[in-house]
Amino acid sequence: MAESKKMYLNMGPHHPATHGVLRIELELEGETIVNATPRIGYLHRGIEKLAESRNYQQIIPLTDRLDYASASANNMGYCVTVEKLMGIEVPKRAQYLRVIMAELARIMGHHLWIGTHALDIGAMSVVFYAFRDREMIMDINEEISGYRLTPTFFRIGGVAHDATPKFIEMVRDFVKWFPKGLDGYHKLLTENKIWTTRTMDIGTISADEAVNYGFTGPSLRGSGVAYDLRKAFPYSSYDDFDFQIPVGDKGDVYDRYLVRMEEFSQSLKIIDQAIENLPEGPVNVENPWISNPDLDEVQKDISALIRRFMIHAKGFAAPEAEVYQAVEGAKGELGFYLVGDGSEHPYRLKIRSPCFYLASALPRLMVGHMVADAIAIIGSIDVVLGEIDR
Amino acid sequence: MSMVRLTIDGSEVEVPEGTTILKAAEKAGIRIPTLCYHKRLPPIESCNMCIVEIEGEKEPVNSCAAPVSNGLVVTTDSKALHEQRTANLKKILKHHPLDCPICDRAGECELQDIVYELGIEDVPYEPRKVKRDDTYSTSLIRYWADRCIMCGRCVTACRDIKQIGAIEIQGEEENARIVVDPDKCKSCGECLMVCPTGALTENLSRYKGRPWLVKRVQTTCTYCGCGCQFELNVLDNRVIGVTTDVDTGVNQGSLCVKGRFGYEFIGDESRLKKPLIKENGALREASWEEALDTVAEKFKAIRDQHGPDNIAGLTSAKCTNEENFLFQKFMRAVIGTNNVDHCARL
């Protein structure tokens, strides 16, 4: 018998199915993967280092560019961290608006996931329907902030401004429409024979192992661990809302798919509750050293003008302390470790990216499967490189 | 000197007799907000920001002027004090124009700093009923009368540091303004240095750059032998201004008109970049080699023909010490004359 020879296949970084610039070195025997080594760093922008030379407000737009598929969820993580460091209590209305934005971002992230994941495996039509619905959220982002993908709508101590009536109407329209859209995705995939064959028993990981690998978010819940930071350590009024944590049991690609599909409806449920019970009141903390005075006020009040100038040009100082705060991002536990040194800039900002842990488990998930399954596995853990490389 | 013990905000401080409460608090690491107070000036007491409460006294006193005494118990921050400071500052702010976005001083303005420090809110702008006259004695400085908060620093600096007394405050309350006597003014810019706001701005470089954009390079003034220290404000490799630090150098922040305003030559287009040789009454550009050869030749001819003492050398403070040393060495050893002088000896 002829001796089998290993083949090395370089997958990515310019590969449409690696979702960004992930590169995986595959070691193959025939079509079977015997080893896989993820290589990261192609999207490194030095966000953590950049943060050290910016004031606390100026870092917010950087966080949009972590997991750019769900930008507002990152804003949420960073802002609640700074607020914890500075001991700021955010007004209720702002907390609700933040929840709406973060959940819309989660849905947006999942839209990108379902579209590309299905496209990678060969179900071409899903992406068109997913992006049709994603477009509605983009329009909502544009209405409230002017930006579609990276809204930067959050501010330290609240949000940039109050919701417009049109925003509320658009969110309501989306809540009304989206169950129909979601139904369409289910019809296309959930019981599709090709889909189930391609995804069931692929990339299986047990609950224990997933925990050991540092899995969080939908990928962990796919393995049956009901861990969600919105329930475990509620922030930004998440304990006000009624929602469930969907879990899988086997931990394969199909289970992770089902969990995310259910998360669509749970997020929608949260948005519905938040928009209908939106409390009245201010949308930014009333603190002359932190909150930005309104532009109309600035045009006739010298003290407001000076404060705005100071807050923008110099920034406010945070105390000498360190905090860790994590939120449930679209991909899992998005944590920010922030060290303040009494100045206007953080001494250090360390970002705990959920995708980094997910990507590091790729060898474990891929070994023993076919090359084609590698694509299904990458899609199922839903990594975004903007967050891994930072 | 005998020492005095007092308590400030609960902590005991020991300071020499005659110290002010403000300086004693500074020693104890306690910050009292100030506006008209300036390190180099005697207390002016026009802003009433540095007020503190003294146990047993009914009214708060200005800590910049009040001397310490044994057993004094001082409170620097309380609700009443904060309210009074806020009220005093609001009075100053009321007529301050909404100029920050176009003001050269914004970003290093002491008025901005204190408004932000105290967290002042709700001061609608009221224009002044009478427009103040904004003429000034020198074209090097622009006086923005509306921005002036009447702190009196410039008046005191002109009188006490420079011993000139060209500036005085005229008028009452809303109509008060500073008036400068053009005959007395030496355009030294001392008033510009001490002004806490953008009421006095440098007129050569207006609107050229925000304070936080410029790089400040500390250097020694090249005009005379005093060796005054100042910072050249550099933006995009061009000098756009001169600022000083009161803690640095023999001059303690003071400069003369040349030092403070005479920086434009540095980047001037008409500066000589190549040696010129005069031939038949006209100058032409030459290489350094040719120029030096010509000079050496002519020096040699004069020395041989008329003797070395017919040559004299005058060097410049704009050269480094090493260059000046070499120059005198050259004059004495190569030419052979003691006719050497330097502009800093004037």
Side-chain angles (χ1 to χ4, degrees), chain A residues 289 299-301 307 310 316, chain B residues 98 116 120 122-123 125:
Chain A
W289 294 279
Q299 278 157 15
K300 44 185 189 265
D301 185 330
R307 279 187 289 117
M310 294 296 277
F316 42 78
Chain B
L98 304 161
Y116 185 67
I120 305 293
D122 199 23
V123 193
Y125 170 59

Side-chain angles (χ1 to χ4, degrees), chain B residues 306-332:
Chain B
H306 306 283
D309 277 344
N310 280 300
I311 302 173
L314 181 67
T315 183
S316 160
K318 287 191 173 62
C319 303
T320 63
N321 283 345
E322 290 79 0
E323 285 160 351
N324 280 320
F325 174 79
L326 282 175
F327 183 78
Q328 65 86 24
K329 198 83 187 162
F330 169 78
M331 289 306 290
R332 288 185 221 276

Side-chain angles (χ1 to χ4, degrees), chain A residues 61-128:
Chain A
L62 294 180
T63 66
D64 277 282
R65 282 136 186 94
L66 290 170
D67 170 8
Y68 40 78
S70 55
S72 289
N74 313 332
N75 285 177
M76 170 81 105
Y78 173 71
C79 288
V80 290
T81 312
V82 178
E83 281 145 15
K84 189 173 171 186
L85 178 70
M86 303 189 62
I88 305 168
E89 179 72 27
V90 179
K92 207 76 174 162
R93 188 176 173 86
Q95 292 192 13
Y96 273 51
L97 282 172
R98 283 175 168 198
V99 165
I100 293 169
M101 289 304 282
E103 292 306 316
L104 283 173
R106 188 186 315 282
I107 295 179
M108 221 167 113
H110 285 4
H111 272 143
L112 187 72
W113 158 78
I114 186 70
T116 53
H117 186 30
L119 187 66
D120 293 345
I121 301 182
M124 191 144 193
S125 40
V126 185
V127 68
F128 299 117

Side-chain angles (χ1 to χ4, degrees), chain A residues 123-160:
Chain A
M124 191 144 193
S125 40
V126 185
V127 68
F128 299 117
Y129 295 109
F131 272 54
R132 170 198 63 192
D133 300 340
R134 186 167 174 266
E135 192 63 22
M136 291 178 79
I137 303 182
M138 298 270 240
D139 288 341
I140 294 172
N141 281 346
E142 191 181 354
E143 163 61 27
I144 197 149
S145 71
Y147 293 88
R148 290 161 61 75
L149 189 67
T150 50
T152 318
F153 178 59
F154 288 43
R155 294 289 181 275
I156 311 295
V159 290

